[in-house]
Amino acid sequence: MTHYKSWAACLVITVLCSAAMLLPSNITDAMVLSEAGLANGELWRMFTAHFVHTNLWHFALNIAGLWLTWLLFVEYFSPQRLLLALAFSTLGLSMVLFATNNLQSITWYAGLSGTLHGLFAFALVLDVNKKRVTTYIIIIFGIGKLIFEQMGGSTQSTAELIGASVAINGHLWGAVLGVVAGCIVKVLELQQQFRD
Protein backbone atom coordinates (compact mmCIF):
# COMPACT_ATOMS: atom_id res chain seq x y z
CA MET A 1 0.00 0.00 0.00
CA THR A 2 1.32 3.42 -0.90
CA HIS A 3 1.12 6.35 1.49
CA TYR A 4 1.01 9.35 -0.83
CA LYS A 5 -0.47 11.76 1.71
CA SER A 6 2.08 10.81 4.33
CA TRP A 7 5.00 11.23 1.91
CA ALA A 8 3.50 14.56 0.82
CA ALA A 9 3.52 15.68 4.47
CA CYS A 10 7.18 14.69 4.78
CA LEU A 11 7.93 16.70 1.66
CA VAL A 12 6.01 19.73 3.00
CA ILE A 13 8.02 19.65 6.24
CA THR A 14 11.22 19.42 4.18
CA VAL A 15 10.15 22.37 2.02
CA LEU A 16 9.25 24.48 5.09
CA CYS A 17 12.67 23.81 6.61
CA SER A 18 14.38 24.47 3.27
CA ALA A 19 12.53 27.76 2.79
CA ALA A 20 13.47 28.87 6.30
CA MET A 21 17.14 28.23 5.46
CA LEU A 22 16.89 30.81 2.67
CA LEU A 23 15.49 33.56 4.88
CA PRO A 24 17.70 36.37 6.17
CA SER A 25 18.82 36.13 9.79
CA ASN A 26 16.64 39.04 10.96
CA ILE A 27 13.58 37.00 9.96
CA THR A 28 14.80 33.67 11.32
CA ASP A 29 15.71 35.40 14.59
CA ALA A 30 12.02 36.31 14.88
CA MET A 31 11.07 32.67 14.31
CA VAL A 32 13.14 30.91 17.01
CA LEU A 33 11.54 30.05 20.33
CA SER A 34 12.63 32.44 23.04
CA GLU A 35 11.24 33.42 26.41
CA ALA A 36 11.46 37.11 25.53
CA GLY A 37 9.61 36.55 22.27
CA LEU A 38 6.80 34.63 23.94
CA ALA A 39 6.59 37.25 26.70
CA ASN A 40 6.06 39.84 23.94
CA GLY A 41 3.12 37.82 22.60
CA GLU A 42 4.98 36.40 19.60
CA LEU A 43 3.14 33.09 19.77
CA TRP A 44 3.99 32.09 16.19
CA ARG A 45 7.42 31.19 17.52
CA MET A 46 5.88 28.11 19.17
CA PHE A 47 5.39 26.68 15.70
CA THR A 48 8.01 28.33 13.50
CA ALA A 49 10.98 27.52 15.77
CA HIS A 50 10.85 23.88 14.75
CA PHE A 51 11.47 24.67 11.08
CA VAL A 52 14.41 27.06 11.54
CA HIS A 53 17.97 25.72 11.72
CA THR A 54 21.26 27.25 12.81
CA ASN A 55 23.28 26.19 9.77
CA LEU A 56 23.41 23.74 6.88
CA TRP A 57 24.68 20.88 9.08
CA HIS A 58 21.82 21.34 11.56
CA PHE A 59 19.36 21.37 8.67
CA ALA A 60 20.92 18.32 6.96
CA LEU A 61 20.99 16.22 10.14
CA ASN A 62 17.36 16.96 10.90
CA ILE A 63 16.11 16.43 7.35
CA ALA A 64 17.99 13.13 7.19
CA GLY A 65 16.35 12.15 10.48
CA LEU A 66 12.94 13.16 9.12
CA TRP A 67 13.29 11.02 6.00
CA LEU A 68 14.65 8.10 8.02
CA THR A 69 11.63 8.33 10.32
CA TRP A 70 9.33 8.24 7.31
CA LEU A 71 11.19 5.36 5.67
CA LEU A 72 10.84 3.29 8.83
CA PHE A 73 7.34 4.30 9.91
CA VAL A 74 5.40 5.83 7.00
CA GLU A 75 2.44 3.52 7.68
CA TYR A 76 1.75 5.29 10.99
CA PHE A 77 1.55 8.82 9.62
CA SER A 78 -1.97 9.04 8.24
CA PRO A 79 -3.13 12.68 8.02
CA GLN A 80 -5.14 12.50 11.27
CA ARG A 81 -2.41 10.77 13.23
CA LEU A 82 0.24 13.08 11.85
CA LEU A 83 -1.71 16.19 12.86
CA LEU A 84 -1.94 14.93 16.43
CA ALA A 85 1.72 13.89 16.54
CA LEU A 86 2.87 17.22 15.07
CA ALA A 87 0.68 19.23 17.44
CA PHE A 88 2.22 17.45 20.42
CA SER A 89 5.78 17.57 19.10
CA THR A 90 5.79 21.20 17.96
CA LEU A 91 3.27 23.29 19.90
CA GLY A 92 3.25 20.91 22.87
CA LEU A 93 7.02 20.82 23.00
CA SER A 94 7.23 24.62 22.85
CA MET A 95 4.73 24.92 25.71
CA VAL A 96 6.64 22.41 27.85
CA LEU A 97 10.00 24.09 27.19
CA PHE A 98 8.48 27.42 28.19
CA ALA A 99 6.59 26.06 31.22
CA THR A 100 9.62 24.19 32.59
CA ASN A 101 11.89 27.24 32.27
CA ASN A 102 14.15 25.46 29.78
CA LEU A 103 14.24 28.60 27.66
CA GLN A 104 15.98 30.44 30.48
CA SER A 105 18.88 28.00 30.45
CA ILE A 106 19.24 27.71 26.66
CA THR A 107 18.07 31.26 25.76
CA TRP A 108 16.44 30.15 22.50
CA TYR A 109 15.38 26.98 20.71
CA ALA A 110 15.41 26.18 17.01
CA GLY A 111 15.34 23.04 14.92
CA LEU A 112 13.36 19.95 14.11
CA SER A 113 15.17 17.52 16.42
CA GLY A 114 12.72 17.69 19.34
CA THR A 115 9.86 17.21 16.89
CA LEU A 116 11.72 14.28 15.30
CA HIS A 117 12.14 12.64 18.70
CA GLY A 118 8.40 13.07 19.15
CA LEU A 119 7.46 11.64 15.76
CA PHE A 120 9.85 8.73 16.20
CA ALA A 121 8.50 7.90 19.68
CA PHE A 122 4.92 8.27 18.42
CA ALA A 123 5.56 5.74 15.65
CA LEU A 124 7.34 3.32 18.01
CA VAL A 125 4.32 3.30 20.36
CA LEU A 126 2.12 2.32 17.41
CA ASP A 127 4.65 -0.21 16.12
CA VAL A 128 4.98 -2.13 19.40
CA ASN A 129 1.89 -4.22 18.56
CA LYS A 130 3.77 -5.80 15.67
CA LYS A 131 6.21 -7.30 18.18
CA ARG A 132 9.20 -6.85 15.89
CA VAL A 133 12.59 -7.34 17.50
CA THR A 134 13.91 -4.29 15.65
CA THR A 135 11.26 -2.11 17.30
CA TYR A 136 12.42 -3.16 20.76
CA ILE A 137 16.07 -2.63 19.81
CA ILE A 138 15.27 0.89 18.56
CA ILE A 139 13.34 1.63 21.77
CA ILE A 140 16.27 0.46 23.92
CA PHE A 141 18.77 2.53 21.92
CA GLY A 142 16.44 5.55 21.97
CA ILE A 143 16.00 5.40 25.75
CA GLY A 144 19.74 4.88 26.12
CA LYS A 145 20.45 7.95 23.97
CA LEU A 146 18.08 10.11 26.02
CA ILE A 147 19.58 8.89 29.31
CA PHE A 148 23.10 9.45 27.97
CA GLU A 149 22.22 13.05 27.06
CA GLN A 150 20.49 13.71 30.39
CA MET A 151 23.41 12.27 32.37
CA GLY A 152 25.77 14.74 30.72
CA GLY A 153 26.94 12.55 27.87
CA SER A 154 29.01 14.51 25.41
CA THR A 155 27.07 16.42 22.79
CA GLN A 156 30.02 18.75 22.23
CA SER A 157 30.92 17.50 18.75
CA THR A 158 27.31 17.90 17.60
CA ALA A 159 27.15 21.37 19.16
CA GLU A 160 30.29 22.38 17.27
CA LEU A 161 28.87 21.01 14.04
CA ILE A 162 25.50 22.79 14.31
CA GLY A 163 26.87 25.97 15.85
CA ALA A 164 24.61 25.84 18.92
CA SER A 165 24.08 23.91 22.12
CA VAL A 166 22.20 20.65 21.70
CA ALA A 167 18.78 21.08 23.28
CA ILE A 168 18.78 17.78 25.15
CA ASN A 169 15.59 18.67 27.04
CA GLY A 170 13.92 19.31 23.70
CA HIS A 171 14.85 15.75 22.71
CA LEU A 172 13.58 14.33 26.00
CA TRP A 173 10.31 16.25 26.07
CA GLY A 174 9.75 15.63 22.36
CA ALA A 175 10.04 11.88 22.97
CA VAL A 176 7.78 12.01 26.03
CA LEU A 177 5.13 13.97 24.13
CA GLY A 178 5.40 11.57 21.19
CA VAL A 179 4.72 8.66 23.54
CA VAL A 180 1.71 10.51 24.98
CA ALA A 181 0.36 11.24 21.48
CA GLY A 182 0.90 7.61 20.46
CA CYS A 183 -0.94 6.36 23.54
CA ILE A 184 -3.84 8.73 22.82
CA VAL A 185 -4.10 7.35 19.29
CA LYS A 186 -4.00 3.76 20.58
CA VAL A 187 -6.77 4.46 23.11
CA LEU A 188 -8.94 6.25 20.54
CA GLU A 189 -8.49 3.46 18.00
CA LEU A 190 -9.31 0.80 20.62
CA GLN A 191 -12.46 2.70 21.57
CA GLN A 192 -13.40 2.85 17.88
CA GLN A 193 -12.89 -0.92 17.53
CA PHE A 194 -15.17 -1.60 20.50
CA ARG A 195 -17.87 0.65 19.02
CA ASP A 196 -17.70 -1.18 15.69
Side-chain angles (χ1 to χ4, degrees):
M1 179 177 167
T2 55
H3 302 276
Y4 296 113
K5 290 180 182 177
S6 179
W7 282 108
C10 184
L11 186 59
V12 167
I13 294 168
T14 302
V15 168
L16 286 173
C17 292
S18 300
M21 285 297 295
L22 301 174
L23 295 172
S25 62
N26 64 323
I27 294 176
T28 57
D29 289 348
M31 295 171 70
V32 300
L33 187 62
S34 70
E35 189 173 28
L38 292 179
N40 287 332
E42 299 167 357
L43 299 180
W44 65 82
R45 292 173 180 262
M46 296 178 80
F47 180 73
T48 59
H50 303 280
F51 302 98
V52 178
H53 292 86
T54 57
N55 61 27
L56 194 55
W57 282 111
H58 191 204
F59 167 81
L61 289 169
N62 280 325
I63 295 305
L66 175 71
W67 284 84
L68 176 63
T69 302
W70 250 255
L71 284 170
L72 293 172
F73 301 117
V74 66
E75 65 197 89
Y76 300 117
F77 294 124
S78 68
Q80 299 85 353
R81 286 175 168 178
L82 183 58
L83 278 175
L84 179 70
L86 279 174
F88 270 76
S89 60
T90 56
L91 300 174
L93 177 56
S94 294
M95 287 188 269
V96 169
L97 290 175
F98 181 70
T100 58
N101 292 323
N102 276 279
L103 295 177
Q104 288 178 348
S105 62
I106 62 172
T107 312
W108 55 271
Y109 178 89
L112 197 59
S113 61
T115 299
L116 287 177
H117 281 73
L119 293 173
F120 211 84
F122 172 83
L124 284 169
V125 167
L126 299 179
D127 198 59
V128 163
N129 286 352
K130 293 196 174 176
K131 298 183 172 128
R132 294 189 273 207
V133 173
T134 52
T135 300
Y136 297 111
I137 291 170
I138 293 170
I139 289 170
I140 290 166
F141 275 103
I143 291 170
K145 175 198 178 288
L146 293 170
I147 290 170
F148 178 75
E149 288 179 345
Q150 291 296 314
M151 301 286 289
S154 178
T155 57
Q156 187 60 38
S157 60
T158 304
E160 290 171 8
L161 188 65
I162 68 172
S165 297
V166 177
I168 60 171
N169 289 330
H171 296 172
L172 176 65
W173 284 111
V176 168
L177 291 166
V179 168
V180 170
C183 289
I184 289 170
V185 165
K186 285 186 96 149
V187 167
L188 292 174
E189 289 177 354
L190 281 172
Q191 286 178 340
Q192 186 63 40
Q193 286 176 4
F194 285 125
R195 287 187 197 133
D196 295 341

